[in-house]
Amino acid sequence: MTDLVEPKATEIVYETEEPILYAVEDGVAWITMNRPGFNNAQNGQMTYALDDAFQRAVNDDDVRCIVLAGQGKHFSAGHDIGTPGRDLHRDFDRRLMFGRHVNRPAAELLYTREQEQYLGMCRRWREAPKPTVAMVQGACIAGGLMLAWVCDLIIASDDAFFQDPVVRMGIPGVEYFAHAFELPPRIAKEFLLLGERMTAQRAEQFGMVNRIVPRDKLREETAAVAAKLAAQPRLGAWLTKQAVNHVEELRGKRTAMEAVFHMHHFAHAQNDLTSDNSLGGLDAKSMASANKKQAGE
């Protein structure tokens, strides 16, 4: 007798076969999310392509720095919860020590998938031995935060904003729970409980953003910072990353994430029991509408 289930058949329509663009310029790998029509919402196709790109950059000895960017108006609108390319039930070749998710029943499906595709992948990218820079313009929402937060530095445009509105779904923040490490605890509570947009200017006050520049100067400034990082001694840069990351671990970052990840999935399971889906009955359209209404747009 098995407690596994038949994988669910769903129609997936990808708008591109290149969800990630990759280029190397002067020792800097530029990894660019390429779903601008959907504000770079992250599906599995994009997540595994991101992992391929990070691994490619790490393997290339000529690459000394990695920049993560997003095509179009916004850096990332977060996880894909409503495009034709949403591939929740697609099986991918796994990178970490987790089993298949598509044949897991009930809450186990999301729990298994997100151990790898969200929490596990983000930790993997954070530990890349080369300096990383997130180049953020426009929206950086929910799952988009994870991608920016794993990078060592964040350079933002003056119109960038950060937001995690998933408490609206009954969920205590996105899976890679770095909120209380990126922000002071009381500000992190405000950020989560109110779910309001935080401007790049306010984020800079708390040290979440390193530099803010006009959007038309964003790539130029990011390239200048990346060039300085690429010129640093390779081992020295790696050891410096490890040193600061180690301090975060001593403060409990990893164990805190483990605890909140389980709270996150308890919330998904509760939603499945009390509404018609794991997101509390909400979808991409309703979340986007609520975000714009809250922002007065």
Side-chain angles (χ1 to χ4, degrees), residues 154-170:
I154 298 177
I155 312 297
S157 64
D158 54 8
D159 64 349
F161 66 88
F162 304 85
Q163 184 180 20
D164 193 353
V166 300
V167 171
R168 194 180 297 141
M169 299 173 171

Side-chain angles (χ1 to χ4, degrees), residues 247-258:
V247 171
E248 286 192 302
E249 303 305 353
L250 290 174
R251 291 174 178 167
K253 187 172 187 177
R254 187 176 187 90
T255 53
M257 283 189 179
E258 294 284 353

Side-chain angles (χ1 to χ4, degrees), residues 209-245:
V209 165
N210 296 92
R211 300 185 184 183
I212 302 171
V213 294
R215 183 182 279 236
D216 62 358
K217 300 292 184 182
L218 182 59
R219 184 179 174 92
E220 178 183 337
E221 178 67 16
T222 303
V225 170
K228 291 178 181 178
L229 292 171
Q232 297 286 26
R234 182 184 63 254
L235 180 58
W238 182 19
L239 292 174
T240 299
K241 285 190 60 163
Q242 290 185 73
V244 178
N245 286 354

Side-chain angles (χ1 to χ4, degrees), residues 79-151:
H79 299 326
D80 186 342
I81 60 172
T83 84
R86 188 184 188 211
D87 49 14
L88 171 63
H89 296 281
R90 178 181 167 186
D91 206 3
F92 290 89
D93 291 333
R94 291 167 297 285
R95 311 299 167 82
L96 306 174
M97 200 62 69
F98 298 104
R100 298 178 72 194
H101 72 280
V102 294
N103 62 349
R104 298 309 197 255
E108 188 181 359
L109 183 146
L110 276 184
Y111 179 76
T112 304
R113 175 180 183 256
E114 295 183 0
Q115 287 274 11
E116 166 148 315
Q117 290 191 33
Y118 296 157
L119 184 58
M121 291 281 200
C122 284
R123 285 175 169 169
R124 177 174 160 91
W125 303 332
R126 174 178 176 261
E127 294 170 2
K130 302 178 182 185
T132 56
V133 182
M135 184 176 78
V136 177
Q137 82 283 4
C140 181
I141 299 175
L145 293 168
M146 304 193 321
L147 302 182
W149 284 346
V150 300
C151 293

